[in-house]
Amino acid sequence: MMSTDTPMEDSPSVRAEQLKQEGNQFYKKGIYSRAIDLYTQSLEAAESPIPTVLNNRAAAYMMQKDFRRAALDCSAAVEADPAFAKAMVRGAKCLLVMGQVSEAAALLERAADVSPTAAVTADRATVARIEQELAAYHAALAEDKNEVALSAISRVFQLVAGDSVEESDLCTKWKLFRGEALARTGNVDDAAAIASAAMRADSGNPEALALRGRVFYMQGESGKALAHLQQALVMDPDMKSARILFRLVKQVDGLKEKGNAAFKSGKLEEALDLYAQAMAADPSNKQVLAKLHSNRATVAAKLGRHKEAIEDCTAALEIDPEYYKVLLRRADCYAKTEQWEAALRDYKAANTIEPTAELRFAIQNAEQQVRIASRKNYYKVLGVERDASDAEIKKAYRKLALQYHPDKSNGDADTEAKFKEVAEAYEVLSDPQKRRRHDMGADDESGGFDGFGGMGGMGGMGGMGGGIPPEVFQMFFGGGGMGGMGGMGGMGGMGGMGGFGMQDDDDEDDMYAHFGGHHGHGHSHSHSHSHGHSHGRQHQQQRGSRGGPRFSSRSSYRG
């Protein structure tokens, strides 16, 4: 006869419950892997699926960031108990994290049918807001309102994550949405990081391939962009966004390459037009725009349209303030238009990026030209160019001397002062040594140009020598003896300084070949007056080749 004291084996349901309770204890301690093991044993011990154990295991999976398995357990729990609203709510949360918004909305609708609590109603409202923000995101991208799109997807992240999930735990789909908005708003580095992470997880993900293609395009790597976009279309031929971007990249790159070819063949106006078309095709790509502005500046400078070149350089530098070649190009254009202070700023900025001996020389030259520009410009006084010949200077002087002659001033002090200034300018520019010193900004060795003998008030008109041609006095005063004016002597020249021996560029293809070149100061004087050729040779002996430093190691052309 068997003893009634022998304990009976636990029934499957009791054993399952014991394992569940043990699992709960480990869950509370935060030892989620052990809790999952015990929940799994509990399910295996039971004769049929236990909804509560499935739901508990789903919670443990969520704590381990395994939302896919958590969602599967919630689905199994609801299948075992169609009225299990708690599992529906948890499952909806997992679906949202996985980017399945419509499925989450449907599951919450079921939860509301079986348990219309305030919490379920609030969760449904949250999902509705997520759907609205997603619609706003896609609409903004379609209209190129990229900042609006970025704001919308950021709100989606906040709503999906809530208080229980880190944004970094959201699925690749959500991250790629954000990456697209980041790329379009110019946050290329962050977008690149998202694309790279997605590619590591799944190298065949078409959305990740398309985002990486956009990143390459934004970085100016059109060839790589086209390759990635083409691969994305192989993986998903119906991916409309990738197809549109592929066509855009081909269009912009094609126009840019045609512009480059036109430039190289000397068709400069055509090159300008092609670059402008490329800019208009996609004004949102800042890096490509910077290159196109740089290229267009090169062409404009070659055409001698330095103001346009400066504008394009400035536009490129607003995008990339450390665009070294563009800084040099703009400095050169500023110098060619005698904006020496601006040129000096750009030379110094370039020198902080990559110091070179040539740049230091260019800075010294620009500093000298700034000093020169701060002094009286006798060429402007006479209204002639800095490379004007003796004959042109004399002609300009005679015209102005007639215009401002004291006999016509009726005692007007400003007119008399202007006549003095014109005579002073001619005194200097008609003398080779004084002209040379003026060009280099040297002070007059006798204390400046304030001598003019006893010319105060133009009275007496005695021997007005000092370089004013006799034929001019003959024209003014007839054949008399020109007595009485206490001579306009005493004007020590401005010679003595060498300069840069500047000429017109022979090779405009290298925009950096000549700093300060043909800007007027230290001109070559290749005209017919007697000192011209020796003057130019002297400059070349003192400074070497014209225009300052050559940056032969750096191409002027980018892109």
Side-chain angles (χ1 to χ4, degrees), residues 267-290:
K267 300 175 182 178
L268 304 184
E269 293 291 350
E270 182 180 337
L272 286 176
D273 181 62
L274 287 164
Y275 291 143
Q277 290 182 48
M279 290 178 181
D282 184 14
S284 67
N285 190 332
K286 300 302 182 183
Q287 293 303 316
V288 171
L289 273 183

Side-chain angles (χ1 to χ4, degrees), residues 3-21:
S3 172
T4 58
D5 295 334
T6 303
M8 299 179 61
E9 290 186 4
D10 291 338
S11 66
S13 60
V14 172
R15 178 61 179 162
E17 180 63 23
Q18 289 175 341
L19 291 167
K20 171 190 169 185
Q21 293 302 325

Side-chain angles (χ1 to χ4, degrees), residues 337-373:
T337 53
E338 299 186 33
Q339 300 179 65
W340 287 105
E341 290 186 357
L344 180 59
R345 284 195 299 271
D346 281 353
Y347 287 140
K348 286 183 175 180
N351 197 53
T352 62
I353 298 171
E354 185 175 334
T356 65
E358 292 92 340
L359 261 176
R360 287 194 295 273
F361 183 68
I363 289 170
Q364 291 172 1
N365 177 38
E367 287 173 340
Q368 182 183 45
Q369 303 300 347
V370 169
R371 289 193 297 270
I372 292 170

Side-chain angles (χ1 to χ4, degrees), residues 322-527:
E322 295 190 351
Y323 201 155
Y324 185 82
K325 295 177 181 180
V326 175
L327 274 171
L328 296 180
R329 184 176 295 121
R330 188 172 70 173
D332 187 65
C333 290
Y334 275 138
K336 288 178 179 177
T337 53
E338 299 186 33
Q339 300 179 65
W340 287 105
E341 290 186 357
L344 180 59
R345 284 195 299 271
D346 281 353
Y347 287 140
K348 286 183 175 180
N351 197 53
T352 62
I353 298 171
E354 185 175 334
T356 65
E358 292 92 340
L359 261 176
R360 287 194 295 273
F361 183 68
I363 289 170
Q364 291 172 1
N365 177 38
E367 287 173 340
Q368 182 183 45
Q369 303 300 347
V370 169
R371 289 193 297 270
I372 292 170
S374 67
R375 299 169 185 176
K376 186 174 293 186
N377 186 335
Y378 287 130
Y379 295 100
K380 288 185 177 180
V381 171
L382 293 183
V384 297
E385 298 296 329
R386 293 182 178 273
D387 60 353
S389 66
D390 284 348
E392 290 170 333
I393 289 171
K394 182 182 290 186
K395 180 179 178 181
Y397 168 70
R398 293 178 64 180
K399 177 180 178 181
L400 293 172
L402 278 171
Q403 180 179 347
Y404 296 111
H405 189 267
D407 286 352
K408 299 181 180 181
S409 70
N410 295 321
D412 180 67
D414 291 339
T415 302
E416 291 184 0
K418 185 65 177 177
F419 181 80
K420 287 183 182 182
E421 186 180 43
V422 167
E424 178 183 324
Y426 183 72
E427 171 72 14
V428 173
L429 299 183
S430 64
D431 182 286
Q433 183 181 12
K434 293 177 182 179
R435 180 176 182 178
R436 185 159 54 249
R437 286 177 61 80
H438 170 70
D439 291 343
M440 298 314 302
D443 290 324
D444 176 51
E445 55 198 3
S446 66
F449 298 112
D450 55 359
F452 276 85
M455 191 176 169
M458 304 299 291
M461 305 296 284
M464 199 169 179
I468 297 180
E471 62 269 26
V472 175
F473 285 99
Q474 185 75 13
M475 176 178 62
F476 290 155
F477 307 113
M482 296 182 289
M485 182 172 179
M488 280 181 72
M491 291 184 62
M494 292 183 69
M497 294 187 67
F500 285 91
M502 300 170 190
Q503 306 168 359
D504 289 333
D505 280 331
D506 296 320
D507 182 10
E508 285 271 10
D509 287 349
D510 184 358
M511 293 294 295
Y512 313 121
H514 311 297
F515 280 96
H518 58 278
H519 315 317
H521 300 287
H523 45 276
S524 67
H525 296 322
S526 58
H527 39 73

Side-chain angles (χ1 to χ4, degrees), residues 298-320:
T298 301
V299 180
K302 190 172 179 67
L303 288 166
R305 285 147 51 175
H306 301 299
K307 181 180 178 182
E308 294 178 24
I310 289 169
E311 290 173 353
D312 271 316
C313 287
T314 300
L317 290 167
E318 287 175 353
I319 297 169
D320 182 0

Side-chain angles (χ1 to χ4, degrees), residues 21-246:
Q21 293 302 325
E22 289 179 28
N24 289 349
Q25 293 303 313
F26 279 100
Y27 182 92
K28 292 176 182 178
K29 294 177 182 179
I31 306 175
Y32 302 114
S33 58
R34 181 60 179 152
I36 289 171
D37 288 341
L38 290 166
Y39 290 142
T40 302
Q41 292 178 42
S42 174
L43 291 167
E44 291 172 348
E47 295 177 338
S48 59
I50 306 174
T52 56
V53 176
L54 287 166
N55 191 48
N56 287 2
R57 190 170 70 172
Y61 276 133
M62 289 181 71
M63 298 305 294
Q64 288 192 323
K65 318 297 184 185
D66 192 343
F67 297 99
R68 184 185 66 81
R69 287 182 178 176
L72 290 173
D73 272 354
C74 289
S75 179
V78 172
E79 186 176 350
D81 180 3
F84 196 176
K86 189 174 182 180
M88 294 177 192
V89 171
R90 178 165 286 150
K93 181 66 175 179
C94 294
L95 291 171
L96 284 177
V97 172
M98 296 163 61
Q100 301 176 36
V101 180
S102 58
E103 292 85 346
L107 197 55
L108 285 173
E109 186 176 357
R110 288 181 61 185
D113 290 339
V114 299
S115 179
T117 64
V120 172
T121 301
D123 287 340
R124 292 187 70 192
T126 297
V127 173
R129 281 196 60 197
I130 291 171
E131 291 175 324
Q132 292 172 357
E133 294 293 351
L134 272 179
Y137 164 81
H138 290 296
L141 287 184
E143 298 174 7
D144 287 328
K145 297 178 179 178
N146 300 317
E147 293 290 348
V148 174
L150 181 58
S151 296
I153 198 62
S154 296
R155 288 191 291 272
V156 169
F157 267 57
Q158 294 169 1
L159 291 166
V160 171
D163 297 328
S164 59
V165 178
E166 297 291 332
E167 290 189 3
S168 59
D169 297 329
L170 301 188
C171 70
T172 298
K173 173 184 175 179
W174 291 129
K175 293 174 182 177
L176 289 172
F177 279 175
R178 173 178 273 180
E180 182 75 10
L182 287 168
R184 293 194 186 198
T185 53
N187 298 300
V188 179
D189 291 341
D190 291 341
I194 291 172
S196 296
M199 292 285 291
R200 285 193 297 271
D202 180 5
S203 61
N205 185 325
E207 286 80 12
L209 286 164
L211 177 58
R212 196 164 190 180
R214 182 176 291 280
V215 166
F216 277 126
Y217 172 52
M218 299 299 290
Q219 292 173 333
E221 299 282 353
S222 297
K224 293 179 180 179
L226 291 170
H228 279 77
L229 290 167
Q230 193 168 30
Q231 189 177 354
L233 289 168
V234 169
M235 303 301 296
D236 182 3
D238 297 326
M239 191 176 182
K240 183 179 178 181
S241 60
R243 188 172 301 281
I244 291 173
L245 182 58
F246 182 84

